[in-house]
Amino acid sequence: MMNILSSSILSADFTRLGSQIEEVDKAGTHYIHIDVMDGMFVPSISYGMPIVKSIRGITDKLFDVHLMIIDPIRYIKDFVDVGADSITFHQEATDNPAAVIDEIHKYGKKAGIAIKPGTPIEAVFPYLEKVEMVLVMTVEPGFGGQKLIPETLDKVRMLRKLIDERKLDVDIQVDGGVYIDNVEEILEAGANVIVSGSGIFKGDISENIIKFRNKLSE
């Protein structure tokens, strides 16, 4: 599978959001990762449809929308309408994950299912044939700048083994505490979609993207 870099704008400077998105685009990020938080599923509140709509015209990179919200099926169409290309929701946030996946697919978009660090990886097994991606959170969702929880990579290894055994075309995304100095370990565990926020937007953005791209292509 292709290794993919997804730049999380949660760590961007919002006074310069447009120009920073243009910079990560030009430097070679594959996806733009957009974290949506409702203050209920996670303690933080981030941003919603107006921000996604406002930046859609800046780049044609894939919009990788991560919904950290309760009952996500309510807002699938809204995020599709403002430009989401791939929508990932949390298994823990709904009583009917299959219905959410179907709703995403109804609009022709890619569906991902995510789990928190404390959720067993087995929780996503029933949906592997239905989704395009599984997101293994490697920190507690809701805040940027946390350190990666090493034990979460065991879930990535288990998931990669099962996906390969079943010969499924499913990406494994890792989000949380991802930096240049630990991305090799994450890739070796079996992830192929790498989300980084602070690791990209802190310091020289273009240089950080180039370093990540080099690691992903090794």
Side-chain angles (χ1 to χ4, degrees):
M1 279 191 169
M2 177 183 175
N3 290 332
I4 292 167
L5 180 63
S6 192
S7 298
S8 175
I9 64 169
L10 189 65
S11 296
D13 178 352
F14 271 69
T15 66
R16 299 188 295 128
L17 181 59
S19 63
Q20 290 197 339
I21 290 174
E22 289 175 341
E23 186 171 358
V24 296
D25 184 335
K26 184 178 179 181
T29 194
H30 300 101
Y31 294 174
I32 303 296
H33 189 82
I34 302 170
D35 288 308
V36 179
M37 308 178 194
D38 64 358
M40 297 176 65
F41 181 70
V42 293
S44 297
I45 297 174
S46 58
Y47 36 70
M49 285 79 75
I51 291 292
V52 181
K53 183 178 181 180
S54 71
I55 63 175
R56 181 66 279 186
I58 296 172
T59 175
D60 61 1
K61 298 294 186 183
L62 184 144
F63 273 15
D64 171 26
V65 175
H66 176 197
L67 300 181
M68 289 174 268
I69 64 175
I70 295 293
D71 196 14
I73 199 168
R74 297 173 296 157
Y75 293 108
I76 300 303
K77 183 178 185 302
D78 293 315
F79 280 100
V80 168
D81 287 346
V82 295
D85 298 299
S86 175
I87 300 177
T88 299
F89 68 97
H90 273 263
Q91 181 270 342
E92 307 96 342
T94 176
D95 293 330
N96 193 346
V100 183
I101 295 166
D102 289 343
E103 182 74 2
I104 296 168
H105 284 159
K106 182 172 79 174
Y107 298 105
K109 304 303 178 181
K110 295 182 178 182
I113 188 167
I115 55 169
K116 296 180 178 182
T119 301
I121 192 62
E122 289 82 2
V124 303
F125 287 178
Y127 310 104
L128 291 181
E129 279 80 10
K130 292 177 66 68
V131 297
E132 284 72 44
M133 185 168 70
V134 176
L135 167 53
V136 177
M137 290 297 301
T138 44
V139 299
E140 290 296 335
F143 301 97
Q146 300 179 64
K147 290 185 178 180
L148 183 144
I149 301 169
E151 294 78 14
T152 58
L153 295 184
D154 291 335
K155 296 181 186 180
V156 175
R157 295 182 184 97
M158 292 175 61
L159 186 59
R160 173 53 64 199
K161 183 174 184 293
L162 183 60
I163 287 172
D164 289 349
E165 287 175 351
R166 295 189 185 179
K167 296 181 170 58
L168 300 174
D169 185 16
V170 178
D171 290 320
I172 301 177
Q173 185 175 75
V174 162
D175 182 5
V178 179
Y179 295 91
I180 297 293
D181 60 3
N182 64 7
V183 69
E184 288 184 29
E185 181 183 8
I186 294 165
L187 294 168
E188 288 170 1
N192 70 296
V193 182
I194 306 300
V195 178
S196 185
S198 300
I200 288 173
F201 287 99
K202 303 305 180 186
D204 188 319
I205 292 173
S206 296
E207 183 178 336
N208 291 336
I209 292 277
I210 292 167
K211 287 180 179 178
F212 267 111
R213 286 289 300 259
N214 288 341
K215 292 287 186 182
L216 268 60
S217 62
E218 288 179 356

